[in-house]
Amino acid sequence: MIARVRAGEAEAYALLVRAHTGVALRAAVAFGAGADAEDVVQSAFFKAYQALGRFREGAPFRPWLLRIVMNETRNTVRSAGRARAVAGREACHRGAEPLIPESADPAAAALARERRAVLTAALDELSEEQRQVVTCRYLLEMDEAETARTLGWPRGTVKSRLNRALRKLERRLGGQLGPDPDGPGAR
């Protein structure tokens, strides 16, 4: 596909954009772009297109793109200032809540919102690197190798930072989340 783009086939890049827009948006939101997530993703796709000459032949496109999204998000957050970044992240988290069908149990919906708020607060207490690795592995559902390529870290670094982040989350959360109502044994 990259070879087709490099050969000047614009539709090939449009296919790449359509295929990766969803994960790029989730990544931008998870890395803290907040309300600027769409702008970040648009800029990331533009920068990726400009940098295709440096893209390594045969490498997977998604980790490379997500690394650009992560860097673009970092630049956006820094330029907007810390206060705006926090407000945007909170707004984004609220907007990212799953839609709850009218038939859903209001108590279960309230519990789900409360659990999400607790988890979001705990994630915000992690270092930037720990938040990045947790986001890649669990929110973006990447495997270890893809996480390492996306973050530009050795796999051992991914393992150790993920381990520290999960231990910190466990200490922070304790039993606050309680049993997952949708988890094993829920039915």
Side-chain angles (χ1 to χ4, degrees):
M1 185 74 73
I2 299 297
R4 290 173 47 199
V5 176
R6 285 177 173 161
E9 192 178 327
E11 182 57 31
Y13 196 66
L15 291 173
L16 279 175
V17 169
R18 280 194 289 271
H20 296 284
T21 295
V23 71
L25 277 170
R26 287 194 310 273
V29 168
F31 290 130
D36 295 327
E38 289 184 12
D39 292 338
V40 164
V41 169
Q42 187 174 17
S43 179
F45 275 118
F46 181 72
K47 287 183 176 181
Y49 185 80
Q50 288 181 317
L52 276 177
R54 295 188 306 267
F55 182 77
R56 190 168 41 92
E57 190 73 34
F61 181 75
R62 188 168 98 152
W64 185 72
L65 173 67
L66 293 180
R67 193 171 185 165
I68 294 171
V69 168
M70 187 174 63
N71 290 335
E72 195 62 25
T73 300
R74 184 181 307 127
N75 293 340
T76 298
V77 169
R78 283 183 182 158
S79 68
R82 186 169 178 83
R84 182 171 172 239
V86 170
R89 191 177 314 140
E90 288 176 5
C92 192
H93 287 304
R94 282 192 305 269
E97 289 183 17
L99 296 176
I100 300 168
E102 290 181 20
S103 60
D105 179 3
L111 183 60
R113 279 193 300 273
E114 184 177 318
R115 292 167 53 98
R116 182 179 190 89
V118 168
L119 183 57
T120 300
L123 286 172
D124 285 344
E125 292 181 11
L126 296 177
S127 70
E128 182 177 341
E129 292 170 337
Q130 290 172 336
R131 197 171 33 255
Q132 288 172 345
V133 72
V134 168
T135 296
C136 286
R137 290 286 283 134
Y138 296 106
L139 300 180
L140 300 176
E141 300 176 359
M142 294 178 169
D143 63 25
E144 189 178 284
E146 197 172 25
T147 299
R149 283 192 299 270
T150 299
L151 297 175
W153 302 341
R155 289 178 75 163
T157 303
V158 168
K159 284 182 182 179
S160 64
R161 288 182 179 164
L162 183 61
N163 187 29
R164 281 194 292 269
L166 293 178
R167 281 188 287 149
K168 189 172 182 178
L169 283 174
E170 186 177 8
R171 281 192 308 270
R172 168 63 176 83
L173 294 172
Q176 288 186 46
L177 293 181
D180 184 353
D182 297 325
R187 296 180 187 215

